Amino acid sequence: MNRIYFSYCLLFSSYSPLSFVKGKKKEGTAATFITRTKAVRNLQVTLPHFRKLCILKGVFPREPKKKIHGSEKTYYHVKDINFLMHEPLRGKLWDIKAYKKKIKKARGKKNKDMVERLLDRQPTYKLDRLVLERYPTFVDALRDLDDCLTMVHLFATLPAMESEHIQVDRIHNCRRLSHEWQAYISRTHSLRRTFISVKGIYYQAEVEGQKITWLTPHALQQVVTDDVDFNVMLTFLEFYEVEAIMYQLETLLGFVNFKLYHSINVKYPPILDPRLEALADELYALCRYIATGSRTLSGNSQSGISSESEQTGNKKMNSESEESEVRLAQLQHQLPANERGALMNMMEDVNGADEEDQDTKECKSLFKDFKFFLSREVPRESLLFIIPAFGGLVSWEGDGAPFKETDEDVTHQIVDRPSLGRKFLSREYVQPQWIFDCINARIILPTEQYLLGRVPPPHLSPFVDNEAEGYVPEYAETIKRLQAAARRQVLPFPGLDPMDFSDPGSLLAEGIIDRAEANEAAEQRQKLLKLEQQYHDELKMELQGVTFSAVASKGNSQIPPAEDVEVEEGASMALLDQVAEDELNLSKVSMSRRQRGLMEAIQIGKERKRNKIELLKKRRKNSEANRKG
Amino acid sequence: MAKLKIRDKKVKIAITKDKKKKDKADPEAVPELPAEYSSPTRDEEHSDSRDVSQSSDSELSCEINEVEGNDLHHPAEESDSSEDEVAPRNTIGDVPLEWYKDEEHIGYDIAGRKIKKHARKDKIESFLAGVDDSKNWRKIYDEYNDEEVELTKKEMKLIKRLLQGSTPHTEVDPYAPYVDWFDWEDKGHPLSNAPEPKRRFIPSKWEHKKVVKYIRAIRKGWIKFEKPEEEPRHYLLWGDDSTSAESKRQGLKYIPAPKPKLAGHEESYNPSLEYIPTQEEINSYQLMYEEDRPKFIPKRYESLRNVPAYENALKEGFDRCLDLYLCPRTRKKRINIDPESLKPKLPSRKDLKPYPSKCYLEYLGHSGPVKSVSVEISGQWLASGSTDGTIRLWEVETGRCLKVWEVGQPVNHVAWNPLPQLPILAASAGHDVLLLDTGLGDAEEQHRITELLHVEESASTDDRDLVSWAREEMYGGIRLKHTKAVANVEWHRKGDYFTTVMPKDILRTLPERLDCSRDTKAVLLHQLSKKQTHNPFKKLRGLAVSAVFHPTRSIFFISTKNHIRIYDLLKSKLINKLETGLQEVSSVAVHPGGDNLIVGSKEGKMCWFDMDLSSRPYKILKTHPKDITNVAFHRSYPLFASSSEDCTAYVFHGMVYSDLNQNPLIVPLEILRGHASSKYGGVLDCKFHPRQPWLFTAGADSVIKLYCH
C-alpha cells in the first residue's frame, strides 16, 4: 500500500506542484486560489472524501480578494490543497476505496475465502498525527475544544441509529469520553459557570487558563430531524473524539483527556467499577476512580499519613499487573463507604499542596460544608458533576449511592416536584436552580425563594456582562447586593459615603454601584460641564464686544440667560443635543467615505442596542404594572 | 437360490393376503386356492417369463382385481391380525354399503339368509350405555357386520405404535446390523480392468497452484498468522510545550473558527419577565423578513422538570459543523474603535477664527422667498432680489431698507458692479436683465453712471434675435430683453463686461428651434460701455447652469450639468474640462486666487477642485442632506460657505497655500441655522461680506440674515 502511495507521489512530483497551471503563467489571485471543483479534481478524490480530508485536516475555504471564477464559488488556497495533496491519509482513502471494491468483487464471485481473508486486513488509519499537526501545543487543543465538547455531549444523548450509521458503540464512546472530561473538571474544581438554558445546560470551565464552554442537551429523548447530514457530523465526531469502530481511530478528546489525566497522576483510560457502570453511574465511578487513583499514585510520598487500607492498596497497585486493577478499584470503592467523610478526604487529599489560584480555592470551598441529596426527578448527571466540582458531597436515590436519604447530616435535598409527603426538618428542600445560581454568584444564596413548590426567581445568564449591555435585570441587582454584603463580612469599608457622586470610579471599586450607573453619572457630569463651558465662552465673546449692536444680537442669540438655566433645562438639553449633532455632522463632512460608513455603522449599532434596552425597560415596566394592578 | 427363496416368501405373504380376501369374496373356494393363486402373482412379477404360466382362467384373475380394488374401502381389515379371526357373518363382499342403505337387511350370511339390521340405538341411550361401561372407549362400530367390536389390549398397543410411526410389532428391529451375505474373497476379478492412471504417481498440479498462491500471500503479508499487537490507544501526545521548533503549525496561517455566541439572559429556561415578548410582538415577527426575524423566541418554564428537549439541538449542531468546514475564514480586524478616533485630526476651530458663527442681524421686508443677495464692494450696501418682484437695497450695519425697486417680475439674481466708483446693480427678472442706478456715490460718480446707462434707441435693432438693449422707463437704467428667462448675471472684475446665463428650458423648446438644441445662445457676454452683446461660443456642449469670470485672468468658467468647462477668452478656446462626477451641478464659485474652485450640487455634495492638481475633485464633501443652492468664497479670508435647501449654511475654512507642494486645507467650521423651512426651499443664497468675515444668507422664509463672528 505504501508503494502505491509513493508511486502516486512520484507521479505528482514529476509535474510542478501546480500541475493544473499549464500554458499561460498565472499570477496573483488566479494563481493562489482555486475553486473547490478544481481542487477535488487535482486531488483525485471524490467529493465526500475531499470533505472528509478537509474536516480531518482542518482545511477551510479562504476568501480571495477577487473572485475570479465567479462569486458563487468556494475558493481554497493552493497551498492548502498542496497540503492535502501530501497527506498520507489521501492514500489511505484510496486504499479503503480499493479494498471495498475487492470485497464487493469477491462477494460477487462467491469467493468466501477471499472475503474472509480481506475482512481480516481492513486498511486502517490513525488520526493522532493529525491532531498533533493541527494542535502543536496542548493549549492550542484546549482553545478549540468548545465545539468538540458540545458535539460529544450531543451525541452522548442521541439514540443509536443503524440507518444513519450511528452505532451503539459510538454513542457509548461519546458518553464515556464526556464523563471522563466531566470527572476531570469536577476533580480539579475548574468549573466556573453554569447556565440552564432552553437548549440545554451550558458549562464553562477554566483549564490551563483557557475558558472552555460547552453545552449538554437536556437528558431527554432528542428530536432527530432528517434535514441533517450525519456523514458530515460523524466525520467531525471522528476527529473530535470518537474512536470509530471501523478504523480504530482515536482523537482529540481522547488525547486531551489522556493529557489531563496524566497531569493529575491518574491512569488513562480509567478502569471503572463494573457495578456502578451497570447502574449507569459512570460519572460517579469515574470520580471515585480518579480520587483513588491519584491518591494511591501520590500516596508514596505521604505514606505516613495515609491509612492502613491505603497502604495495602499501594502495595497491590505496585505489585500486581494491570489486570488486577479492576479488583483493586472495587476494593477501594468499598472502603470509604464504611466511614463517614472518607469520600470527603478522597476529594480533598492530593493536590492540596499544589499552588491553586484564588478562583479555584473559592470554587472548591463553595459547598464545602454541605451535604446534598438528589431526588429522583432532578437531572442527576448534571448535579453529580457540578456539586463535587464545588466541593459538596452528594448522593442520590438509587443503588450504589454513597449515603441514603435518611442520612441525618444531609443539609439540602434537591427536589423538583410540587409537593413532598414526608419531610426532614433538619434539611432544606430546594429546587435545582438554587445550585446553579449559587455557583454563578459564588455565594450561598438565601434558599427561601427556591423552596419546594415555589416558582424560582429568574435564572440569569452568567455569560452576559450586564454593565456592557447597559441593562441590568432586577434579580442581578439583588444578587449583586447579596454579594457585596457577603464580601463586607470579610472586608468592611469604614467611613464611606455612598451618596458621594463626585467620583463614580471610587464607588465602582467597592462594587456598590455598578458600572452602568457610574457611566451614566459621569455622562451627566460631562454634559453639565460642557454646557457650562459653552455658556462661559459665549459670555466672554459678548464681553469682548462684537462690532454689532448688542440689542439686535441679544434678541437673536440662542444663549439662555443665566437665571433660566434650571428652568429651561429641557430646552438647553435640546440645544446641547443640537450642538452635539452639529459637531458630529461637521466631523462627518471631513471624513473619508469609508470612515463615514464606519461611523454610521457604529451609530446604527448603538441605536439598535439602545432600542433593545428601551424595549426591555418598557416590558419590565408593563410587567410591574400588571403585578400591581 | 437365495433370490428364489425370497421370492417364495413374498409369494407366501401375497397368498395369505389373497386367501383372506378370497375368504371374504368367495367362501366356498377357500380350501383349494393356494396352489392356483401363486401363478398369477408370479405372472405379474415376471411378465416376460411365460414358461411357468398355467393358463389360469381369466374369471379368477378378474375377481382378484376386484378384491384388490375393494381393499381401498377397508384398509383397517387388512391387518395380519384379522387373519385368525372368525369369518365375518356378512357375505355380500366388497360392495358399497350404501346399496343396502334403504334395505331392511345388511346382507346375507353363509346360508344365504338375510341378516336383519339391528334397531338403531338412540344417542342418549348409547351415551348412557357408554357411561356405564368402562370399556366403552375401546368399542368400535363395525358397519359391515352391523355390530360393535371391542378391541383387545394388544390391538390397542398396535394402533398406538402405528400412530407413533414405529413398527407395529415390538419384536421387529428396524436397525438391525447389516449382514453382507456376499463373500468377496477369492473372486479374482476387480470391478474395473483399467490400468492405474499416471496422475496417481505425480504431485497434483492444482494443489501446487494453490500452495503457491498461499506462499505468495504469506510472503506478501496478505495472510498473517499472528494478530498485530495492539498499540495503546491513547498516549501522551503532547510532551513538554517547551520545544518551540516542533510546536509550530505547518502550512498556511491557521485561523481559528470564531467561538459560538454564548447564551444570554433570554435563552434561560426561566428568564426575567421582560425578556419574554408579548403575543403581539411574536405575531409581528411574521411580518418581518426571514433574515431579520429573531431566531430564538424566549419562553418561560415554571420549573426545571417542565423543560422539554430542544427541538433544534441536532440542527444547530449540524449548522455549526457546516460553518466550521464550509465557511471561508478571513481574519478581520475587530471594529471596536472609538468613533472619536475616526474623526480626522484637524486644527482646532478656535485657531481658525474669525468666522461667521452667530446670527446678529435680520433684514426683514421682503414678502416672498429671497432668491439672491449681493453685497456692494465697499461692504456698506446690500442688494437683494426676491420672487415678490422687488429688489431691495439695505444698509448692512443697520438693517435699514434704503430703496425698493418694484420690477413686477420675480427676481432671480442680483449682482453689484465690482467697481467701487460704479455702484450699478445688475438684476435678472424674468426674461430681462436690469441695470439699475442705485443713486449712491457722489455727484461726479452719478454723472458718469447716468452717462453710462444712457441707451440710444437704435442700438436695439442690431442684434434683435440675441438681446435688445432698451431704456428702463420706470427707474432709469437699461433693460436687456432676452429670449428666455435669465438665471445668472455675473460681472467681470473690471466692471465693464457681464455675462448672463439662460438655462435651456426643455419644456419651452419649440420645434423650429430644434436645430439649435445645443443651445449656443445660453451664455452671452455683454459689454456695458458699448452696449453690445455677443455670443462667444460657436457651440456649447451640455446644458449650461452658470458662468463665472476668473478673478484675475481673462478666463471664463461655464458649468454644465456634469462638467465645468474653462475657456480662455482671449484665445477663445477651451483650456480645461473638470470632471465633477456629480449628478447635477447647481453653483460654482472661484477662489480669489483663481486656482481653486468649488462646485455645489443638487445631491448635497460639494467638490473642491485644485486646478493645478488635477481635473478631478481634490476633495468631495458630503455636507447637506438636500440640494445645495449656492456656494461662495470670501474675498480675503480663507473662508467658503455653502447654503442648502435643508435650511442650513455651512461655513468652511479653506486655506490655499502659495507653496505649490502643499495641498489646500479644508476644515468644516460651523453649521448656521436659523432660517425656517418653507415650501420654496431653505436657504437660497449665501454671500460673504467683502471685508469682514460675515456671511449673508437669503432664506425662502423671506428673511435675510447676517452671521458674524
Side-chain angles (χ1 to χ4, degrees):
Chain A
M1 285 167 290
N2 272 341
R3 264 174 61 193
I4 296 171
Y5 168 63
F6 279 124
S7 67
Y8 271 108
C9 276
L10 284 175
L11 190 74
F12 280 106
S13 60
S14 63
Y15 291 116
S16 75
L18 303 176
S19 54
F20 42 89
V21 182
K22 269 187 174 179
K24 214 163 74 180
K25 195 190 163 198
K26 284 185 183 172
E27 276 179 351
T29 321
T32 45
F33 289 95
I34 53 172
T35 58
R36 191 185 66 176
T37 321
K38 276 187 181 168
V40 168
R41 212 180 296 150
N42 286 331
L43 288 173
Q44 302 192 348
V45 288
T46 55
L47 189 58
H49 277 178
F50 176 72
R51 244 179 230 156
K52 193 166 187 168
L53 274 176
C54 283
I55 291 170
L56 295 179
K57 284 282 272 185
V59 167
F60 43 83
R62 299 197 187 233
E63 196 96 313
K65 273 190 186 142
K66 196 176 163 192
K67 295 186 167 177
I68 288 173
H69 302 288
S71 59
E72 75 285 358
K73 296 228 165 78
T74 321
Y75 290 85
Y76 285 87
H77 200 283
V78 164
K79 280 189 180 172
D80 274 338
I81 298 304
N82 282 345
F83 191 46
L84 290 183
M85 186 107 62
H86 293 93
E87 172 58 49
L89 192 62
R90 189 172 65 126
K92 279 283 182 211
L93 292 180
W94 280 334
D95 286 348
I96 288 169
K97 201 175 154 195
Y99 164 80
K100 280 185 177 159
K101 265 188 199 164
K102 275 181 200 163
I103 287 195
K104 202 175 171 190
K105 195 173 171 187
R107 285 226 169 98
K109 293 194 168 179
K110 305 218 166 53
N111 192 347
K112 272 187 189 167
D113 281 356
M114 180 69 118
V115 171
E116 268 174 31
R117 209 188 311 145
L118 282 173
L119 284 175
D120 263 358
R121 36 182 202 93
Q122 278 183 327
T124 58
Y125 57 84
K126 290 181 113 187
L127 295 181
D128 41 358
R129 194 183 43 75
L130 284 184
V131 172
L132 194 61
E133 187 184 272
R134 278 176 69 173
Y135 307 110
T137 61
F138 183 54
V139 178
D140 293 336
L142 285 180
R143 223 171 268 153
D144 263 14
L145 210 59
D146 286 22
D147 291 317
C148 160
L149 283 170
T150 306
M151 182 90 113
V152 170
H153 280 90
L154 172 63
F155 266 80
T157 57
L158 278 189
M161 286 174 287
E162 282 304 320
S163 59
E164 303 285 0
H165 304 290
I166 305 177
Q167 280 100 350
V168 186
D169 299 33
R170 262 195 142 158
I171 302 294
H172 279 302
N173 206 21
C174 282
R175 230 178 118 71
R176 184 176 60 76
L177 285 166
S178 63
H179 284 138
E180 280 165 14
W181 168 260
Q182 289 179 4
Y184 170 79
I185 295 296
S186 165
R187 174 71 191 81
T188 53
H189 306 288
S190 38
L191 190 66
R192 292 290 173 268
R193 284 152 173 192
T194 54
F195 176 52
I196 316 173
S197 84
V198 173
K199 296 178 180 177
I201 303 177
Y202 284 89
Y203 301 100
Q204 192 173 58
E206 202 174 321
V207 182
E208 302 209 353
Q210 298 297 322
K211 274 186 181 165
I212 300 167
T213 317
W214 73 95
L215 169 72
T216 63
H218 291 296
L220 295 162
Q221 174 75 45
Q222 294 302 313
V223 185
V224 179
T225 46
D226 38 345
D227 51 353
V228 167
D229 180 6
F230 276 99
N231 280 335
V232 172
M233 288 185 95
L234 285 176
T235 313
F236 266 102
L237 199 61
E238 190 179 311
F239 179 76
Y240 279 154
E241 46 271 279
V242 171
E243 170 192 337
I245 292 100
M246 219 178 117
Y247 310 125
Q248 305 276 307
L249 309 167
E250 57 233 338
T251 29
L252 187 55
L253 191 55
F255 282 110
V256 169
N257 280 346
F258 187 93
K259 168 93 181 173
L260 290 173
Y261 275 57
H262 182 80
S263 70
I264 57 165
N265 287 332
V266 177
K267 191 174 157 21
Y268 188 88
I271 300 147
L272 298 185
D273 181 357
R275 194 168 69 90
L276 282 176
E277 215 168 347
L279 293 171
D281 292 325
E282 291 101 330
L283 185 61
Y284 179 61
L286 261 171
C287 285
R288 271 184 182 293
Y289 171 79
I290 293 177
T292 53
S294 60
R295 189 174 48 165
T296 46
L297 282 174
S298 64
N300 295 332
S301 57
Q302 37 171 308
S303 57
I305 314 152
S306 61
S307 65
E308 181 109 358
S309 61
E310 236 176 12
Q311 278 182 342
T312 57
N314 264 337
K315 267 181 214 161
K316 278 190 178 176
M317 178 72 92
N318 295 336
S319 59
E320 289 185 26
S321 64
E322 285 180 14
E323 304 298 312
S324 67
E325 272 183 350
V326 180
R327 243 162 22 87
L328 186 68
Q330 273 176 303
L331 183 76
Q332 279 169 346
H333 160 243
Q334 283 155 5
L335 284 175
N338 306 330
E339 33 176 332
R340 156 177 173 14
L343 190 67
M344 190 83 168
N345 286 336
M346 263 167 38
M347 290 294 185
E348 287 291 304
D349 56 2
V350 207
N351 288 3
D354 289 9
E355 71 284 2
E356 281 174 345
D357 54 321
Q358 186 62 40
D359 223 11
T360 313
K361 266 181 199 159
E362 201 183 314
C363 287
K364 202 170 164 181
S365 57
L366 184 65
F367 292 141
K368 202 171 63 186
D369 307 327
F370 298 130
K371 216 170 165 185
F372 295 92
F373 190 85
L374 311 180
S375 283
R376 273 179 301 126
E377 69 278 2
V378 298
R380 189 175 74 187
E381 286 205 343
S382 165
L383 288 169
L384 274 184
F385 162 47
I386 292 174
I387 295 171
F390 286 85
L393 279 180
V394 65
S395 177
W396 64 94
E397 209 170 311
D399 295 337
F403 50 85
K404 293 270 172 270
E405 190 181 354
T406 49
D407 194 322
E408 302 256 312
D409 295 325
V410 172
T411 54
H412 293 83
Q413 182 155 347
I414 317 291
V415 286
D416 190 8
R417 52 177 92 178
S419 63
L420 199 65
R422 200 168 60 101
K423 279 191 190 175
F424 290 87
L425 286 176
S426 61
R427 61 183 75 165
E428 290 189 83
Y429 288 84
V430 290
Q431 299 196 25
Q433 195 196 320
W434 181 75
I435 299 273
F436 290 85
D437 281 351
C438 281
I439 284 166
N440 291 338
R442 293 283 169 76
I443 51 164
I444 303 298
L445 293 171
T447 52
E448 73 219 277
Q449 281 182 288
Y450 297 92
L451 286 181
L452 181 70
R454 296 198 185 174
V455 175
H459 183 54
L460 300 172
S461 168
F463 306 119
V464 180
D465 186 359
N466 283 325
E467 280 82 42
E469 285 296 306
Y471 176 76
V472 187
E474 197 181 353
Y475 194 61
E477 280 167 14
T478 315
I479 288 178
K480 193 150 257 171
R481 229 166 284 136
L482 287 169
Q483 275 172 330
R487 217 169 300 149
R488 212 174 286 170
Q489 282 173 0
V490 190
L491 275 173
F493 284 97
L496 184 99
D497 184 9
M499 290 318 288
D500 181 15
F501 273 84
S502 62
D503 188 5
S506 68
L507 285 179
L508 184 67
E510 288 136 27
I512 288 166
I513 60 165
D514 47 67
R515 222 186 319 155
E517 273 174 46
N519 286 348
E520 219 161 273
E523 223 167 78
Q524 204 90 23
R525 251 165 61 81
Q526 220 167 352
K527 256 186 184 173
L528 279 173
L529 270 179
K530 213 174 184 180
L531 188 73
E532 215 175 77
Q533 178 80 28
Q534 198 201 10
Y535 178 62
H536 278 297
D537 279 358
E538 281 164 6
L539 264 187
K540 218 183 275 172
M541 220 154 69
E542 216 159 323
L543 279 177
Q544 278 166 1
V546 195
T547 46
F548 245 80
S549 55
V551 190
S553 69
K554 212 165 199 177
N556 297 319
S557 70
Q558 291 154 352
I559 316 157
E563 300 85 53
D564 295 350
V565 170
E566 286 87 356
V567 184
E568 292 182 359
E569 184 99 11
S572 67
M573 286 307 276
L575 187 70
L576 268 186
D577 285 348
Q578 180 72 62
V579 167
E581 201 193 318
D582 279 4
E583 192 95 345
L584 191 71
N585 280 344
L586 281 182
S587 54
K588 257 191 198 171
V589 163
S590 48
M591 276 181 208
S592 69
R593 201 167 68 172
R594 203 186 133 101
Q595 279 174 329
R596 205 186 309 139
L598 206 60
M599 182 88 154
E600 270 157 18
I602 290 173
Q603 275 168 346
I604 286 169
K606 275 185 182 166
E607 181 69 20
R608 202 174 286 157
K609 200 169 159 185
R610 205 180 311 137
N611 285 344
K612 216 190 243 174
I613 292 168
E614 287 300 313
L615 181 69
L616 285 179
K617 280 182 179 162
K618 200 182 95 192
R619 280 189 200 151
R620 183 160 156 184
K621 208 181 275 173
N622 284 347
S623 71
E624 268 164 18
N626 283 345
R627 214 183 300 156
K628 278 174 195 163
Chain B
M1 275 305 288
K3 256 186 180 174
L4 214 66
K5 249 185 190 171
I6 294 163
R7 197 182 285 160
D8 277 0
K9 225 179 180 176
K10 268 190 182 172
V11 170
K12 194 182 175 187
I13 294 165
I15 289 165
T16 48
K17 269 187 182 174
D18 288 349
K19 190 179 100 189
K20 183 203 90 186
K21 281 163 198 166
K22 192 65 206 163
D23 284 354
K24 286 177 205 162
D26 199 352
E28 303 108 309
V30 175
E32 301 91 49
L33 267 175
E36 287 174 23
Y37 267 60
S38 61
S39 56
T41 37
R42 251 165 73 187
D43 223 331
E44 275 170 32
E45 275 186 37
H46 307 270
S47 52
D48 48 344
S49 60
R50 302 248 167 199
D51 52 333
V52 213
S53 65
Q54 271 184 9
S55 59
S56 61
D57 50 356
S58 55
E59 201 187 304
L60 221 81
S61 66
C62 277
E63 235 175 325
I64 288 166
N65 283 342
E66 203 187 321
V67 170
E68 277 176 348
N70 260 340
D71 265 1
L72 298 172
H73 295 287
H74 305 283
E77 281 181 293
E78 208 191 87
S79 64
D80 288 348
S81 60
S82 64
E83 200 174 355
D84 41 22
E85 273 179 12
V86 282
R89 280 194 303 147
N90 202 348
T91 57
I92 53 165
D94 255 348
V95 294
L97 290 178
E98 60 192 18
W99 291 352
Y100 291 91
K101 205 170 65 183
D102 300 330
E103 304 294 329
E104 285 283 291
H105 58 283
I106 55 161
Y108 307 90
D109 60 1
I110 292 175
R113 288 184 298 260
K114 285 182 179 171
I115 305 172
K116 285 273 172 58
K117 273 183 186 168
H118 290 290
R120 256 317 215 217
K121 268 188 193 168
D122 103 62
K123 286 253 175 180
I124 296 172
E125 252 176 81
S126 66
F127 175 73
L128 286 175
V131 167
D132 293 341
D133 193 358
S134 62
K135 283 176 187 171
N136 181 48
W137 64 278
R138 274 202 229 158
K139 284 180 181 164
I140 293 170
Y141 175 67
D142 182 4
E143 249 185 343
Y144 188 73
N145 292 323
D146 191 28
E147 65 184 5
E148 280 203 330
V149 183
E150 188 181 318
L151 299 177
T152 60
K153 271 191 179 168
K154 204 179 165 192
E155 281 168 337
M156 286 303 294
K157 264 184 194 164
L158 202 128
I159 291 170
K160 201 177 167 191
R161 280 183 71 79
L162 279 172
L163 283 174
Q164 277 171 355
S166 50
T167 51
H169 297 285
T170 40
E171 51 269 22
V172 178
D173 180 11
Y175 307 110
Y178 172 70
V179 181
D180 194 1
W181 296 105
F182 188 76
D183 42 349
W184 296 89
E185 256 101 76
D186 309 328
K187 286 291 176 284
H189 294 290
L191 289 177
S192 159
N193 216 8
E196 281 286 277
K198 187 185 173 187
R199 61 174 180 274
R200 297 270 165 84
F201 303 100
I202 56 169
S204 155
K205 182 184 168 190
W206 302 107
E207 272 179 18
H208 173 71
K209 275 195 170 176
K210 209 155 213 179
V211 169
V212 163
K213 234 184 190 174
Y214 279 124
I215 288 171
R216 195 153 163 262
I218 291 167
R219 278 189 187 153
K220 291 249 179 188
W222 298 338
I223 298 177
K224 274 175 189 154
F225 296 103
E226 71 272 15
K227 289 224 159 176
E229 281 175 41
E230 267 197 22
E231 288 171 34
R233 261 182 229 157
H234 304 280
Y235 53 90
L236 199 57
L237 191 65
W238 296 279
D240 284 345
D241 287 349
S242 54
T243 50
S244 57
E246 278 179 24
S247 62
K248 271 227 169 164
R249 205 173 182 278
Q250 288 181 335
L252 282 179
K253 200 170 182 202
Y254 179 63
I255 304 171
K259 297 206 166 182
K261 204 168 162 269
L262 287 174
H265 292 313
E266 68 280 355
E267 271 187 40
S268 167
Y269 87 97
N270 178 18
S272 314
L273 279 174
E274 60 261 28
Y275 286 98
I276 300 160
T278 57
Q279 192 55 46
E280 295 99 66
E281 279 166 338
I282 292 172
N283 292 342
S284 72
Y285 293 157
Q286 293 302 316
L287 300 175
M288 288 175 161
Y289 287 113
E290 186 102 27
E291 53 263 27
D292 295 341
R293 224 174 275 167
K295 305 269 177 310
F296 180 83
I297 297 173
K299 228 174 170 188
R300 189 158 188 256
Y301 298 97
E302 298 270 292
S303 72
L304 190 53
R305 65 175 182 276
N306 294 337
V307 181
Y310 182 53
E311 68 270 20
N312 282 340
L314 210 54
K315 183 80 177 39
E316 281 179 8
F318 178 61
D319 285 347
R320 176 71 185 164
C321 284
L322 291 186
D323 282 353
L324 284 179
Y325 90 93
L326 280 180
C327 279
R329 294 188 202 166
T330 42
R331 215 177 259 282
K332 276 196 178 150
K333 267 188 193 158
R334 180 110 187 93
I335 309 173
N336 202 5
I337 34 174
D338 183 20
E340 287 300 314
S341 68
L342 283 175
K343 292 173 185 170
K345 296 277 169 291
L346 290 172
S348 153
R349 286 195 284 159
K350 278 178 190 162
D351 301 343
L352 303 177
K353 278 184 177 177
Y355 57 83
S357 55
K358 293 278 168 305
C359 176
Y360 272 75
L361 207 55
E362 284 181 349
Y363 304 89
L364 302 168
H366 279 296
S367 57
V370 184
K371 287 280 279 198
S372 172
V373 287
S374 180
V375 197
E376 203 245 344
I377 193 72
S378 64
Q380 204 181 350
W381 310 105
L382 173 73
S384 66
S386 160
T387 48
D388 61 0
T390 57
I391 301 166
R392 283 173 186 257
L393 183 67
W394 311 84
E395 191 177 18
V396 168
E397 294 195 1
T398 57
R400 183 166 62 94
C401 183
L402 204 71
K403 213 166 182 177
V404 179
W405 290 278
E406 301 247 350
V407 279
Q409 276 172 307
V411 181
N412 276 331
H413 201 256
V414 287
W416 281 97
N417 192 312
L419 291 181
Q421 66 271 23
L422 278 181
I424 296 173
L425 192 67
S428 72
H431 287 207
D432 301 343
V433 171
L434 303 172
L435 296 176
L436 296 171
D437 178 9
T438 52
L440 302 171
D442 48 24
E444 194 182 330
E445 281 172 8
Q446 270 303 319
H447 181 66
R448 276 231 321 270
I449 290 165
T450 42
E451 228 169 63
L452 204 61
L453 292 181
H454 177 69
V455 187
E456 291 165 21
E457 293 303 315
S458 59
S460 62
T461 52
D462 289 0
D463 255 330
R464 253 184 42 146
D465 57 336
L466 269 181
V467 163
S468 64
W469 293 68
R471 208 187 131 68
E472 165 64 39
E473 304 297 338
M474 214 196 300
Y475 301 110
I478 302 174
R479 180 184 285 264
L480 285 81
K481 284 184 181 163
H482 286 67
T483 51
K484 281 183 283 178
V486 180
N488 267 348
V489 183
E490 290 287 339
W491 285 94
H492 188 248
R493 66 179 188 282
K494 285 177 181 162
D496 192 17
Y497 289 96
F498 65 95
T499 174
T500 56
V501 179
M502 299 176 280
K504 190 178 143 191
D505 202 343
I506 293 167
L507 288 177
R508 294 208 188 148
T509 306
L510 297 170
E512 65 263 24
R513 302 194 65 181
L514 272 177
D515 56 331
C516 51
S517 62
R518 278 207 198 107
D519 199 353
T520 56
K521 291 160 194 160
V523 180
L524 297 175
L525 274 180
H526 311 275
Q527 194 178 8
L528 179 60
S529 52
K530 292 185 179 167
K531 315 282 181 306
Q532 263 184 3
T533 296
H534 78 274
N535 180 13
F537 303 108
K538 289 283 168 288
K539 60 178 179 182
L540 190 63
R541 286 185 190 276
L543 299 167
V545 174
S546 67
V548 209
F549 287 100
H550 192 277
T552 49
R553 287 154 63 195
S554 57
I555 288 176
F556 192 53
F557 301 91
I558 294 178
S559 79
T560 58
K561 263 193 168 178
N562 306 102
H563 304 284
I564 312 288
R565 286 159 194 277
I566 305 169
Y567 293 92
D568 191 334
L569 282 177
L570 295 179
K571 291 172 188 168
S572 68
K573 72 170 192 189
L574 185 73
I575 305 174
N576 202 351
K577 193 175 100 177
L578 304 179
E579 308 260 350
T580 59
L582 300 172
Q583 281 170 5
E584 196 172 350
V585 171
S586 65
S587 52
V588 192
V590 188
H591 189 264
D595 281 342
N596 293 282
L597 192 77
I598 48 174
V599 177
S601 81
K602 290 207 171 169
E603 70 224 74
K605 279 184 189 167
M606 192 159 59
C607 298
W608 177 290
F609 284 95
D610 189 339
M611 281 177 286
D612 291 338
L613 215 60
S614 136
S615 64
R616 295 198 161 267
Y618 158 63
K619 202 150 213 178
I620 299 175
L621 304 168
K622 171 91 181 77
T623 50
H624 297 277
K626 284 183 180 172
D627 304 10
I628 290 179
T629 48
N630 200 15
V631 287
F633 268 113
H634 198 281
R635 277 170 68 101
S636 48
Y637 284 95
L639 291 175
F640 66 97
S642 67
S643 63
S644 157
E645 302 218 326
D646 60 353
C647 303
T648 59
Y650 278 61
V651 180
F652 299 85
H653 175 85
M655 188 58 154
V656 177
Y657 300 96
S658 51
D659 180 8
L660 284 175
N661 286 331
Q662 208 166 1
N663 285 331
L665 172 74
I666 299 168
V667 184
L669 288 175
E670 192 70 56
I671 301 174
L672 303 176
R673 294 170 198 278
H675 282 289
S677 86
S678 75
K679 63 176 176 177
Y680 303 106
V683 184
L684 298 179
D685 197 8
C686 64
K687 286 278 155 56
F688 276 104
H689 192 275
R691 296 199 183 138
Q692 298 288 342
W694 298 347
L695 185 74
F696 297 93
T697 55
D701 52 350
S702 68
V703 180
I704 305 163
K705 291 192 178 213
L706 169 64
Y707 292 89
C708 292
H709 58 279

